[in-house]
Amino acid sequence: MCLATPMRIKEIKGQKALVESKNHKHSVDLSLIKDACVGDYILAHADMAINKIPAEEAEKILKMVNETNLEH
């Protein structure tokens, strides 16, 4: 099963972003996201940023993931 993972944007170059969750860094395509900025949280799935989400929501999801010991 694949899940969209909350990740924080660390760097943007054109339509690509370097995102991070815990110590995992990954490159995603930002084509589906309007007005993405460094520091924003996005949901990443299959190398795509599919939605921008509030920091509080991202932190809540990441806390649940950590508590259930699920990894992306």
Side-chain angles (χ1 to χ4, degrees):
M1 175 171 62
C2 295
L3 300 172
T5 306
M7 302 189 90
R8 189 170 194 175
I9 298 175
K10 296 303 230 175
E11 182 179 310
I12 297 175
K13 290 184 181 177
Q15 286 297 311
K16 294 284 188 180
L18 177 65
V19 294
E20 182 178 40
S21 179
K22 285 189 166 183
N23 292 325
H24 176 75
K25 293 183 180 176
H26 192 70
S27 177
V28 297
D29 188 296
L30 291 174
S31 298
L32 300 176
I33 306 293
K34 291 184 179 181
D35 303 324
C37 298
V38 171
D40 286 346
Y41 280 92
I42 54 93
L43 289 176
H45 178 70
D47 297 334
M48 293 289 297
I50 59 173
N51 198 16
K52 195 160 76 167
I53 62 173
E56 306 83 41
E57 186 69 19
E59 291 165 6
K60 186 169 112 177
I61 294 168
L62 291 170
K63 182 179 176 189
M64 286 187 319
V65 168
N66 288 334
E67 287 173 354
T68 58
N69 200 24
L70 296 174
E71 294 286 330
H72 54 275

